[in-house]
Amino acid sequence: MRSITEALKKKGSVLIAFSGGVDSSVLAALAYRRWGTERSRSQPTPRLWRPGSLKSAKGVAKEIGVKHMVILYDELEEPEFARNPVDRCYYCKKGLIRDLKKIAEQRGINTIIEGTNFSDLKAHRPGHRAVTEEGIYNPYIEFLREKRRDSRDGTQAEALGRR
């Protein structure tokens, strides 16, 4: 985590693609520790999220202390996504990133980050292609961190302030 924290220090301010899951929550906690609420913000909210996901993500963001922005996004408005091709996640992610970039520019935020980790890349992840193409910063990939099987891993618990 120290490498990620050091890398974040160099980014200025960040907008976090925040799902409320462990990976993005750890990034949010690290960003919050570095900048507080004024320079760390989060969250796109796709229309097709599972019921309860937004409520859960809001709770996690509140616990961390990060400023939580809900960005309503209707992936069905993306024509390519709506066609339902096998790589539909690419088009959804591309649209989310487009919206995140607009918000980052409006608010003077330097960097957009997201929490895909190295082990996630072992699965078919067409959305990650959009992340790469759009230059979204991904510290877990940069530092080749594997997702821990146990989400209560000490480094994650420490970052989330749960030790």
Side-chain angles (χ1 to χ4, degrees), residues 85-143:
V86 75
D87 63 345
R88 66 190 163 277
C89 295
Y90 168 80
Y91 299 104
C92 177
K93 189 74 81 167
K94 196 83 160 172
L96 280 169
I97 291 168
R98 180 189 59 236
D99 289 359
L100 289 171
K101 282 185 168 186
K102 286 178 190 173
I103 290 165
E105 184 178 336
Q106 291 168 354
R107 297 180 185 265
I109 296 172
N110 302 348
T111 305
I112 300 170
I113 64 174
E114 66 98 37
T116 299
N117 62 66
F118 190 68
S119 60
D120 288 336
L121 298 181
K122 294 175 183 174
H124 178 64
R125 298 280 178 140
H128 189 68
R129 188 173 95 223
V131 169
T132 302
E133 288 175 3
E134 295 296 329
I136 304 305
Y137 181 60
N138 196 305
Y140 295 133
I141 302 298
E142 179 178 353
F143 296 103

Side-chain angles (χ1 to χ4, degrees), residues 68-85:
H68 184 246
M69 295 170 36
V70 175
I71 303 161
L72 299 178
Y73 173 73
D74 188 349
E75 52 273 70
L76 293 175
E77 301 238 342
E78 298 291 334
E80 289 300 314
F81 178 87
R83 281 189 324 101
N84 200 24

Side-chain angles (χ1 to χ4, degrees), residues 1-14:
M1 291 291 150
R2 185 170 291 127
S3 298
I4 292 173
T5 302
E6 290 302 314
L8 288 177
K9 285 180 184 178
K10 298 174 186 173
K11 298 297 178 186
S13 55
V14 296

